[in-house]
Amino acid sequence: MSEELRLLAVRAAQHGAAVCLRQWGEPVQVATKSAAGDVVTAVDRSAEEAVRAVLLGARPDDGVLGEELAEHTGTGPVQWVVDPLDGTTNYTRRLPYFATSVAARSTVDGSWLAGAVCAPALATIWSAAKNLGAQVDSGSGETRLPLAMVESSARLVGTGLSYDPGHRRRQLRELGALMTGYTDMRRFGAAAVDLCLVAQGSLDAFSEDDLAVHDWAAGMLIAEEAGVRVSRPEGRDTAVSACWR
């Protein structure tokens, strides 16, 4: 079942990402959501509609929890968690680090079953199925993760910052501690992409708090299935981390 869900997640993510790519670089109306910097466009909503059409067309009894549309409550054994446009700010600034993220979790025990992250401007799709490993497809077929990397003394950690000014100041104060054991930091602005970059070995770690479930759902499973040690939010702890060491 997990492999079937992975293939459906890939197809749904591709449809959402195609909506994003078609309008990338075109004038779009940008609105602010919860705080300055937390932006949304009509493309976010259109992409989520495209993702839902694929998911519910194939599995009409499943639930769908997305970032932009009202939750679709299902009676089936699976709930889909969707971020139609992760990295909206990047998208509006013509930066290529944005993606559509689609994940499936069991409504029986809450376990994550499958996920896909499609970054159309990077021509890359990462995906995974529970207990079946993870892979990346950059146009020449799927390759198992992690990828082979050149050996060096460089160790890179990725992170992100909160939209809330007070929270952001605390994150910046704690940046020195986060950097312990790493030689540099990367900030790509899309948590789903960051987690997939850990999965393939391009980043050694990623850590961020103040993320919503749709931000990390698919990327975290992909990293985990690639062999990365991961920590999902639990209780009052909102931190997400993925680390090779």
Side-chain angles (χ1 to χ4, degrees):
M1 178 181 179
S2 294
E3 177 62 8
E4 294 176 2
L5 295 176
R6 181 188 75 87
L7 294 174
L8 181 56
V10 168
R11 184 157 61 90
Q14 287 176 311
H15 275 70
V19 172
C20 298
L21 190 61
R22 278 198 300 270
Q23 299 185 61
W24 190 38
E26 299 296 325
V28 294
Q29 185 174 1
V30 181
T32 298
K33 295 199 290 185
S34 63
D38 185 10
V39 299
V40 65
T41 73
V43 178
D44 296 65
R45 185 181 181 91
S46 297
E48 186 165 330
E49 289 171 345
V51 170
R52 289 192 180 207
V54 173
L55 296 176
L56 296 178
R59 298 178 59 92
D61 294 333
D62 287 350
V64 183
L65 176 65
E67 183 178 15
E68 306 304 336
L69 303 178
E71 180 179 355
H72 174 81
T73 303
T75 59
V78 171
Q79 181 193 51
W80 296 90
V81 180
V82 177
D83 192 339
L85 179 47
D86 185 43
T88 303
T89 298
N90 286 348
Y91 183 85
T92 63
R93 296 299 181 95
R94 301 195 183 192
L95 296 171
Y97 299 99
F98 61 88
T100 297
S101 171
V102 179
R105 66 178 166 189
S106 168
T107 58
V108 177
D109 62 10
S111 64
W112 294 97
L113 304 174
V117 175
C118 181
L122 302 177
T124 301
I125 304 170
W126 298 273
S127 64
K130 183 181 179 181
N131 297 327
L132 295 177
Q135 46 273 314
V136 61
D137 188 344
S138 297
S140 56
E142 292 181 337
T143 301
R144 295 281 289 187
L145 295 176
L147 302 178
M149 294 290 162
V150 175
E151 291 289 335
S152 78
S153 60
R155 286 190 56 79
L156 303 178
V157 60
T159 192
L161 298 173
S162 174
Y163 297 117
D164 177 78
H167 198 138
R168 188 164 60 242
R169 285 193 292 270
R170 178 178 63 75
Q171 289 172 319
L172 291 170
R173 288 195 301 270
E174 296 172 352
L175 185 57
L178 176 64
M179 288 295 300
T180 301
Y182 299 97
T183 60
D184 208 342
M185 184 189 77
R186 294 294 181 267
R187 169 78 168 99
F188 293 109
V193 174
D194 285 317
L195 288 164
C196 291
L197 292 176
V198 178
Q200 71 180 31
S202 298
L203 293 177
D204 296 288
F206 173 79
S207 180
E208 186 176 353
D209 61 3
D210 202 28
L211 291 174
V213 63
H214 52 260
D215 295 311
W216 53 259
M220 190 67 78
L221 178 66
I222 293 166
E224 186 172 44
E225 286 295 325
V228 176
R229 186 175 72 251
V230 306
S231 177
R232 294 175 175 86
E234 187 173 337
R236 294 186 177 181
D237 180 9
T238 63
V240 166
S241 66
C243 180
W244 275 108
R245 188 178 66 182

